[in-house]
Each structure stands twice: as structure tokens, then as C-alpha cells.
Amino acid sequence: MWHTVKTLKAHNGYVYALIAKAARYSVSAALRRQSAALVYESHGDPMQVLKLQKQKLPALGDSEVLIKMLAAPINPSDINMVQGTYAILPELPAVGGNEGVGQVLEVGGHVTSLRPGDWVIPRDAELGTWRKELVLKEHALLQVPSDIPLACAATLSVNPCTAIRMLSDFENLQPGNSMIQNAANSGVGQAVIQIAAARGIKTINVVRNRPNFQTLTEYLQSLGADYVITEESLRKPEMKDIFKNIPRPRLALNCVGGKSATEMLRHLQHGGTMVTYGGMAKQPVTAPVSALIFKNVKLCGFWMTQWKRDHEREMGELNEMISSLCSLIRQGKLKAPAYTEVPITDYKTALENAMKPFSSSKQILIM
């Protein structure tokens, strides 16, 4: 009898220990499922509508991945999305941010391509990267190597991808050919300079005039820029001096619009192409009739989000692009734009700096 009582006590003790352990796990899981995020419930001034809030994470599904975000930049498109002026807008309430890099914490039972510890970036926009943790479908993620700098990984999926596609898909540029771009100090512009330099393509880089123009010129030249000029210089005779040393450009990349785009068109060689991917001046692109008739220039548009959606089922091309960019990063031929790291808790400072005119530093939120 006494032996039976002792056995029951021991058994009950084991059961109680299991229950206590399960309770601790449940509490821990419940706590972990609360994640800080920059949320907006209405569109408007990002300084006013974005709030750092706790959000409950969903349970991890079989085909899903739990990610700890490491770093996420603030891009102009992110600001426009919060303001409600971008081409695509998520349902409200929404979490800000369209790109960044995270580390896999946990995977569902049916996940095969990822494992804990892997670095991942979002395949598409609207996923809300300005938060500490999130759960996403496996197919919504791309794995990236963890041996590249954190800032490069965090800023990989938008600007460098845009740059390499525009340099590759519209004109067959060869070493010694030239191209021209405005907003050359932007994230895309800096990536264009570096990728073009790696390919032996000459670049004419147009920026707005500013007090630190010489400093900016030296920085862009350190990335590989051949010429850095102001928008006013586009309309001056000294442009002819440039074309004594390099051929007229076959490709123009326009992120501004208005007069800047019109003047770049005038400098394109016969049959050249201008690709518009932004409109910072909020003015239409006006093409001279003579350029269209007598120079046969082509006007095109480009949106990286649409390219990814058009190639959603073509994983090979997407992975090849990411692999190519990572290879350039490892070789020291492509680096992140000038940046400032800011803790997500200090997001208002980061937003304020990101929206300043002539901002020369990309704001990257560190989680």
C-alpha cells in the first residue's frame, strides 16, 4: 500500500511538473506573440499618424515563417504609402515599410527552403517591415546570405534591383557606352553608378544644386561616377565638352520629371531610351517633338513592384538577380547608400531626417 502511495505521488509530481512546464511555455509563447510595430490607422503626415504599438502575432502555420526583423530602411515610397499617395495601399490599419532584412526564428512543419538562422528579405511590397517580429508565408520571402553587411541586405530588394533592371532591360549597354540619370544621389542613383562602373559603362549624373555640391560630387565619384553636374548645367554649352570625351548616352533614367527630364532627352543619341521610374518634381514628362520624330527616342516607365509580380513564377530570374547583386557586394563593387542607423524607438527622428530636403543619408531603422 505504502509503495502504491509513493508511486502515485511520484506520478502526480511528474504530471504537475509537465503542467507547470506547459504553462510556462504557454506564457512565454503568448508574450513572444506580442511584437512592437509602427502602425498607422489613417493616411496622413507620417509624423502624426505613425505610432509604435504592440501587435499580437498570429499562430505559426505549417507553411509560415516567424521572422525577427533586423533592419529596415525608410524609402520615399514608404512615406508616400503612409501619406496615401502611392500606387498601391494596404488595408488599414497597416504597418509601415516595404523592405528590410530579418532572421528566421521558427518555421512551420511544411517549410522546406528556410531554417532558423537564415536571413530573409521580402519578395514583394506591402508586407510591413517596420516592426520587430512578423509571420509570413514561405513563398513571400527570399533568402539572402548572412555574410554581407546588414545595411546592404536591408536595402537590397528595392533600389539595387531597380537599378540593375533598368540598366539591363531597355538598352544593350556595352563597356564604353554611356548613360545619364537625374536624382543621381538617390538610393537608386547610387546603385546605378556602382553597377554601371562594374560593367564599364560611363555615367553622367545630374543632381539638384545645393550648398554641399562639391562634397556630394566627391562622394558620387568615389562610387564610380564619371561626371556629376547640376540640373542647370544640362542646359549649358559645357555639355558639349563632356561629349568630346564620351559618346552621347543611349539610356536616360528619370526620377524627377519636368524640365530635368526634357533636358536629358535632348542629349540622348538617336534611338535612345528614357526610362521614368519616379516623379520627384511632381511635373509631367514633356518630350520635344523633334526628339520623337528625328531622333526616334523611346519613352518607357518602370516599377520594380510590377516587375516582381510579372515574374512571380520565374524564381530563377529573381534569384539570379539577387545572387548577382550579392556577388557585387562581396567584391566591394556595390555598397549601401550613405545611411544612419536609428533604433525603432526613435522613429520620429528617423522620419524627420528622411523627409528633409537634400537629405544625403538613408535612415535605417534597427529593431
Side-chain angles (χ1 to χ4, degrees):
M1 178 70 177
W2 178 245
H3 174 74
T4 303
V5 170
K6 285 199 298 182
T7 302
L8 283 171
K9 284 183 177 179
H11 175 73
N12 289 340
Y14 175 70
V15 171
Y16 293 149
L18 284 178
I19 292 172
K21 183 177 180 182
R24 287 196 301 272
Y25 176 80
S26 297
V27 170
S28 173
L31 288 173
R32 189 190 67 186
R33 297 301 177 182
Q34 295 286 324
S35 176
L38 282 175
V39 180
Y40 57 104
E41 297 182 351
S42 61
H43 295 297
D45 180 359
M47 295 290 289
Q48 302 298 321
V49 299
L50 279 165
K51 307 292 181 185
L52 189 61
Q53 299 177 354
K54 289 283 187 178
Q55 275 196 331
K56 187 176 181 180
L57 291 175
L60 187 66
D62 285 340
S63 300
E64 293 181 326
V65 180
L66 174 64
I67 303 156
K68 170 183 169 54
M69 289 303 299
L70 302 174
I74 299 177
N75 291 321
S77 57
D78 302 327
I79 298 294
N80 295 154
M81 195 172 279
V82 176
Q83 292 168 333
T85 60
Y86 200 57
I88 53 173
L89 299 173
E91 291 185 11
L92 299 178
V95 177
N98 287 294
E99 75 167 334
V101 62
Q103 186 172 41
V104 174
L105 294 180
E106 201 174 324
V107 299
H110 295 167
V111 173
T112 58
S113 64
L114 298 170
R115 61 184 181 181
D118 287 346
W119 278 18
V120 289
I121 60 175
R123 183 192 305 278
D124 205 349
E126 295 184 275
L127 299 182
T129 55
W130 296 348
R131 55 176 131 192
K132 293 195 173 183
E133 289 185 5
L134 72 163
V135 173
L136 290 173
K137 295 286 188 183
E138 177 185 14
H139 66 71
L141 298 163
L142 290 170
Q143 184 181 354
V144 295
S146 58
D147 63 348
I148 62 175
L150 183 67
C152 288
T155 58
L156 181 62
S157 66
V158 176
N159 293 334
C161 289
T162 299
I164 200 168
R165 292 266 59 93
M166 293 194 299
L167 284 171
S168 304
D169 295 351
F170 296 91
E171 288 286 342
N172 184 22
L173 298 178
Q174 299 296 319
N177 291 159
S178 74
M179 56 81 57
I180 187 169
Q181 64 168 342
N182 54 25
N185 59 310
S186 67
V188 172
Q190 292 182 47
V192 164
I193 290 170
Q194 295 174 84
I195 297 168
R199 295 180 175 186
I201 299 165
K202 304 297 183 181
T203 59
I204 304 168
N205 301 280
V206 185
V207 298
R208 288 182 295 173
N209 202 2
R210 62 195 68 210
N212 66 336
F213 174 73
Q214 186 57 40
T215 302
L216 176 60
T217 296
E218 292 170 1
Y219 172 70
L220 296 181
Q221 287 174 337
S222 75
L223 298 180
D226 294 285
Y227 298 92
V228 181
I229 62 174
T230 65
E231 290 186 333
E232 292 77 15
S233 297
L234 277 172
R235 298 182 280 276
K236 293 183 178 179
E238 52 258 37
M239 287 299 295
K240 293 180 180 178
D241 294 333
I242 293 177
F243 300 129
K244 291 177 182 177
N245 300 314
I246 63 172
R248 285 185 175 272
R250 292 178 55 181
L251 177 69
L253 303 181
N254 168 46
C255 186
V256 177
K259 290 182 179 179
S260 178
T262 303
E263 293 303 325
M264 285 202 306
L265 264 177
R266 297 184 192 280
H267 297 299
L268 276 180
Q269 64 175 261
H270 187 277
T273 303
M274 184 170 79
V275 182
T276 293
Y277 68 99
M280 291 169 54
K282 295 182 172 60
Q283 296 173 357
V285 173
T286 304
V289 172
S290 60
L292 295 173
I293 296 176
F294 303 118
K295 295 180 68 176
N296 196 31
V297 298
K298 299 177 287 292
L299 304 182
C300 305
F302 182 78
W303 185 28
M304 192 66 227
T305 297
Q306 190 62 53
W307 186 94
K308 287 180 178 178
R309 293 178 180 181
D310 289 344
H311 295 76
E312 187 174 2
R313 299 185 181 279
E314 301 169 22
M315 287 297 298
E317 190 166 7
L318 185 57
N319 287 331
E320 183 181 344
M321 175 174 66
I322 296 297
S323 177
S324 175
L325 291 169
C326 289
S327 177
L328 288 175
I329 291 169
R330 288 197 191 96
Q331 295 172 50
K333 295 179 179 180
L334 177 63
K335 63 181 183 179
Y339 64 91
T340 302
E341 294 182 350
V342 183
I344 192 172
T345 51
D346 197 16
Y347 69 94
K348 288 200 171 184
T349 298
L351 286 168
E352 184 179 9
N353 289 333
M355 293 188 290
K356 284 180 179 176
F358 302 116
S359 177
S360 57
S361 183
K362 176 75 70 179
Q363 303 296 300
I364 297 181
L365 297 172
I366 301 297
M367 310 306 169

